[in-house]
Amino acid sequence: MSNPTQSRPGADPKRELLRHTLATLAYRGGKAVRNAPNGFAKFQAGQGVRTPGQILAHLGDLFDWALSIAMGQQKWHDSKLLEWEQEVARFFAALQKLDDFLASSEPVHAPIENLFQGPVADALTHVGQIGILRRLAKAPVKGENYYAADIEAGRVGADQAAPKREF
């Protein structure tokens, strides 16, 4: 999309809100995974707790699943765990594919609310888990006034705006 800040004429407001949510996930998720220390992907907080790498792989699976639902071909796949940087790239690529679909004129074959309450809300939880694991691993992410953050529908890649007010 050439100007991600502008809604398309006649665009479905629910679809646009979901796209903004994906951009929020890219911003917050990017902050959680950026500059992770060596070995963080395998950090074990406790027995039975997913590692950050496992959570990040699950995030990619969630967005692949969300896209399959939106396209009317629901399919779940547990992906093989990749190296941290590859998982980070996969996270942003999966977000981009889903956002591209939502930005298109293709029909969404599921209620937007269900896409939000299922895979997207789950992803919000998991991004928060990575943030908590960063703190437990003694590599915390700075807090931020996210209300003031420069988040725009369509900006779902690794290249995000700089924080406006961290603390």
Side-chain angles (χ1 to χ4, degrees), residues 117-145:
Q117 76 189 31
V120 175
D122 198 25
L124 288 164
T125 298
H126 293 310
V127 166
Q129 289 172 331
I130 293 172
I132 289 168
L133 291 172
R134 286 283 300 259
R135 185 167 295 280
L136 289 172
K138 308 242 185 300
V141 175
K142 286 186 176 184
E144 179 176 345
N145 177 350

Side-chain angles (χ1 to χ4, degrees), residues 23 26 62-63 81 100 104 116 123 135 138 152 154 156 159 161 166:
L62 282 171
F63 291 118
L81 187 61
D100 287 347
S104 77
F116 179 83
R135 185 167 295 280
K138 308 242 185 300
E152 301 172 346
V156 293
D159 187 22
E166 287 184 316

Side-chain angles (χ1 to χ4, degrees), residues 10-34:
D12 177 356
K14 289 181 182 180
R15 215 164 156 154
E16 293 303 304
L17 182 58
L18 189 59
R19 290 188 66 224
H20 188 84
T21 305
L22 296 180
T24 300
L25 276 160
Y27 185 89
R28 287 177 172 243
K31 194 166 179 171
V33 301
R34 193 176 304 114

